[in-house]
């Protein structure tokens, strides 16, 4: 179960200090310790700065203060998930297309258990009021939705953290076979998608208006492929050479002859 240390909990735009503290407690309950906050609201920062004696977050953490002591703060979600080989986004909203499969908590936990032994996994949770934006969800290879009753579909942030950590902790006792080939890190994938975005615009495959939808479909397609670092570099090389040919009408090697 050592790979639990590779699972990072990322809270985006946290608005309530107490929820941050309760999330830390939930993490401690199930053996997780790596907590990141992305662009938290000022009152969350101010509360944490008060320290254990006066902070509401520390009060709700209940013996998980060490997680708050060592949490990291990032300006953007891209920064927080850059080293991750798997990014799991959470949402209650339905949409036409996601960038990865939509799984329940148990299936998500099994996927995390396959990847975490080889590297970082990020569990991403959104704001208390409206969750994650479309652009933030687009960074995910897997989307998890927690089944709830229609009358009250959204969970409290800390409850959602607890439920997903519980599922992963349970699977960790009897994990599936891990992935054999190392998956590419999120940062490398984002460079590939940036190249691909430039390419599809340049060749006229799509336009600015339809670009977000087009890129969402490409993300979903390539996430299914579970790309390795070498495969990402191979595809980027192909795109770079294609752009060169489109601009110059011949290969780079032909210019030297």
């Amino acid at each position: 179960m050592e790979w639990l240390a590779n699972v990072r909990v990322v809270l985006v735009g946290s608005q309530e200090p107490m929820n941050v503290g309760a999330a830390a407690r939930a993490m401690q309950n199930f053996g997780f310790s790596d907590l990141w906050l992305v662009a938290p609201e000022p009152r969350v920062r101010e509360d944490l700065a008060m320290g254990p004696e006066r902070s509401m977050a520390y009060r709700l953490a209940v013996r998980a203060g060490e997680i708050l002591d060592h949490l990291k703060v990032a300006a953007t979600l891209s920064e927080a998930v850059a080293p991750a080989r798997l990014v799991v986004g959470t949402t209650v909203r339905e949409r036409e297309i996601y960038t990865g499969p939509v799984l329940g908590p148990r299936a998500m936990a099994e996927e995390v258990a396959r990847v975490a032994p080889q590297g970082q996994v990020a569990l991403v949770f959104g704001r208390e009021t409206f969750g994650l934006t479309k652009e933030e969800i687009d960074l995910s290879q897997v989307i998890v939705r927690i089944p709830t009753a229609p009358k009250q579909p959204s969970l409290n942030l800390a409850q959602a953290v607890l439920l997903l950590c519980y599922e992963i902790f349970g699977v960790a006792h009897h994990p599936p076979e891990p992935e054999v080939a190392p998956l590419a890190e999120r940062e490398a994938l984002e460079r590939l998608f940036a190249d691909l975005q430039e390419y599809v615009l340049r060749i006229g495959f799509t336009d600015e208006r339809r670009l977000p939808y087009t890129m969402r479909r490409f993300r979903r397609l390539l996430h299914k492929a579970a790309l390795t670092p070498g495969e990402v570099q191979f595809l980027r090389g192909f795109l770079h050479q294609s752009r060169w040919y489109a601009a110059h009408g011949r290969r780079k090697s032909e210019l030297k002859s």
Side-chain angles (χ1 to χ4, degrees):
M1 295 176 63
E2 292 85 1
W3 55 261
L4 290 177
N6 288 340
V7 179
R8 172 177 297 181
V9 173
V10 182
L11 309 182
V12 179
S14 301
Q15 298 162 307
E16 296 293 340
M18 291 184 289
N19 282 335
V20 174
R25 180 178 182 176
M27 292 171 62
Q28 188 89 308
N29 286 146
F30 299 108
F32 300 90
S33 59
D34 190 9
L35 175 61
W36 283 62
L37 304 183
V38 174
E41 292 289 325
R43 62 175 169 174
V44 172
R45 292 175 178 266
E46 293 164 4
D47 179 85
L48 289 168
M50 293 180 184
E53 300 302 320
R54 299 172 55 207
S55 164
M56 291 299 296
Y58 275 89
R59 188 176 303 175
L60 267 290
V62 187
R63 292 191 293 278
E66 62 187 299
I67 293 178
L68 299 181
D69 290 340
H70 297 99
L71 68 78
K72 306 293 191 305
V73 177
T76 65
L77 180 56
S78 295
E79 178 187 348
V81 302
R85 300 181 187 276
L86 178 69
V87 178
V88 178
T90 58
T91 186
V92 297
R93 294 197 297 269
E94 294 187 13
R95 57 194 280 189
E96 182 178 356
I97 185 169
Y98 284 108
T99 52
V102 180
L103 304 179
R106 178 51 61 92
M108 174 278 307
E110 292 173 351
E111 187 65 22
V112 169
R114 278 189 283 269
V115 177
Q118 65 167 248
Q120 195 83 49
V121 172
L123 303 181
V124 182
F125 300 84
R127 301 155 189 83
E128 290 92 330
T129 51
F130 63 90
L132 297 168
T133 66
K134 288 182 179 180
E135 293 73 22
E136 290 163 346
I137 294 175
D138 284 349
L139 294 175
S140 304
Q141 291 115 302
V142 168
I143 313 298
V144 61
R145 296 185 65 191
I146 300 170
T148 53
K151 189 173 182 179
Q152 178 60 293
S154 61
L155 291 171
N156 169 270
L157 173 62
Q159 292 173 332
V161 172
L162 183 143
L163 196 152
L164 296 194
C165 288
Y166 164 79
E167 290 287 2
I168 296 170
F169 183 76
V171 170
H173 288 84
H174 303 285
E177 290 296 319
E179 292 280 356
V180 177
L183 300 180
E185 294 182 350
R186 184 75 251 165
E187 189 172 27
L189 287 172
E190 287 307 308
R191 288 195 291 267
L192 169 61
F193 290 131
D195 287 342
L196 184 58
Q197 178 172 304
E198 181 183 347
Y199 181 76
V200 297
L201 285 173
R202 181 173 296 187
I203 66 173
F205 182 77
T206 190
D207 55 32
E208 292 286 354
R209 182 179 62 83
R210 295 177 296 171
L211 181 62
Y213 176 79
T214 300
M215 290 307 301
R216 223 164 267 134
R217 296 195 69 175
F218 271 119
R219 283 174 179 269
R220 183 176 179 86
L221 174 66
L222 293 175
H223 286 161
K224 286 180 181 179
L227 298 172
T228 65
E231 290 168 340
V232 168
Q233 286 302 109
F234 176 80
L235 288 173
R236 292 190 71 200
F238 167 77
L239 292 172
H240 290 176
Q241 182 63 43
S242 297
R243 288 204 307 269
W244 175 273
Y245 191 88
H248 301 280
R250 49 184 170 168
R251 293 177 295 179
K252 290 181 181 179
S253 59
E254 293 175 341
L255 295 178
K256 300 175 182 178
S257 59

